[in-house]
Amino acid sequence: MHIGVIGATGGIGSRVVSEALVRGHLVTAFSRDAARIDDDRANVAWKSVDVLDAAGVAAALPGLDVLVSGFQPGNAARDLADTVARSIADPTVYATAARSLLKALESHPRTRLIVVGGAGSLEVAPGVVTADSDELLHETLDAVGLPREYAAAVRGHREALDVLRLSNRLWTYFSPAEDIAPGERTGRFRIGGDQPVRDVDGRSRISMEDAAVALVDEAELPRFVQRRFTIGY
């Protein structure tokens, strides 16, 4: 399988690249400036792409079976504060990116798209979505150490999901757990749909490594085409 990864230098994207390579897949890793990347691993090719340039994305799609987009403004793996600030300044960028990706897929309708989004659009109770409640949002953001102003970006991620839901392309939306950070690859987690998966202590958490496992699992064996899924311990 040939898997493309947008945001391939990011926290989740870089781990998706590594996970896909370990499983024997070909990978095209996309970055804003691939010329700066020094990576001599076999079966990975680095290319520059701007996710907001639909024509540029479309030109990069031939040969890809699946495109995983871990797009973030900036690079959260290198400078989280900068990405947070950029996301707060323009929370519409996630929906803009979703529209660009869908536009690119118009000329390649058989290519599957997996978008790494946010957890704020998950239902925490029947009919209750975190992104709809300032109180719930602030409580969640406080728990994971993000500023409350980031609520705008959380709602921006939800808008991107809404954009995808109006499309007939082969999209999948991945909502990671509320608490996601670098950690251990266990390969042991539970999968959910529109509700967060919580552990025995009521926490919604996952490592970036296991998020990558779930994403490559979905690339290999699609279970959530035109649907959203989430995971947690």
Side-chain angles (χ1 to χ4, degrees), residues 117-203:
S121 57
L122 292 167
E123 291 185 354
V124 293
V128 179
V129 174
T130 301
D132 290 333
S133 167
D134 284 340
E135 182 180 354
L136 289 174
L137 260 179
H138 292 166
E139 180 181 337
T140 300
L141 293 171
D142 290 348
V144 298
L146 288 170
R148 292 186 172 185
E149 292 80 7
Y150 193 74
V154 173
R155 293 183 171 119
H157 276 297
R158 181 185 59 180
E159 289 171 8
L161 174 57
D162 290 340
V163 168
L164 293 172
R165 281 174 166 163
L166 293 174
S167 171
N168 62 358
R169 300 298 167 206
L170 303 178
W171 61 268
T172 297
Y173 188 90
F174 173 67
S175 285
E178 294 168 354
D179 186 355
I180 180 167
E184 180 184 0
R185 182 196 187 282
T186 70
R188 299 187 300 274
F189 46 80
R190 292 175 293 143
I191 298 175
D194 290 322
Q195 294 79 35
V197 176
R198 302 189 183 278
D199 63 16
V200 294
D201 297 318
R203 295 175 60 196

Side-chain angles (χ1 to χ4, degrees), residues 33-226:
D33 185 5
R36 301 173 58 185
I37 307 299
D38 182 15
D39 186 347
D40 60 0
R41 288 178 293 180
N43 295 328
V44 58
W46 285 85
K47 294 184 179 180
S48 299
V49 77
D50 178 358
V51 72
L52 303 181
D53 175 13
V57 175
L61 288 177
L64 296 183
D65 298 297
V66 183
L67 177 64
V68 178
S69 175
F71 164 74
Q72 290 278 359
N75 187 321
R78 296 175 181 170
D79 191 339
L80 177 60
D82 176 65
T83 293
V84 169
R86 289 172 183 251
S87 300
I88 293 170
D90 183 12
T92 67
V93 71
Y94 298 106
T96 301
R99 292 188 187 96
S100 177
L101 290 166
L102 292 173
K103 180 67 176 177
L105 288 173
E106 288 180 2
S107 57
H108 298 84
R110 293 186 179 182
T111 303
R112 290 176 47 231
L113 171 67
I114 302 176
V115 173
V116 179
S121 57
L122 292 167
E123 291 185 354
V124 293
V128 179
V129 174
T130 301
D132 290 333
S133 167
D134 284 340
E135 182 180 354
L136 289 174
L137 260 179
H138 292 166
E139 180 181 337
T140 300
L141 293 171
D142 290 348
V144 298
L146 288 170
R148 292 186 172 185
E149 292 80 7
Y150 193 74
V154 173
R155 293 183 171 119
H157 276 297
R158 181 185 59 180
E159 289 171 8
L161 174 57
D162 290 340
V163 168
L164 293 172
R165 281 174 166 163
L166 293 174
S167 171
N168 62 358
R169 300 298 167 206
L170 303 178
W171 61 268
T172 297
Y173 188 90
F174 173 67
S175 285
E178 294 168 354
D179 186 355
I180 180 167
E184 180 184 0
R185 182 196 187 282
T186 70
R188 299 187 300 274
F189 46 80
R190 292 175 293 143
I191 298 175
D194 290 322
Q195 294 79 35
V197 176
R198 302 189 183 278
D199 63 16
V200 294
D201 297 318
R203 295 175 60 196
S204 166
R205 62 187 183 89
I206 199 70
S207 71
M208 290 182 177
E209 287 77 6
D210 278 337
V213 173
L215 288 162
V216 179
D217 284 349
E218 178 63 21
E220 292 178 339
L221 183 63
R223 297 174 56 191
F224 297 96
V225 176
Q226 296 186 344

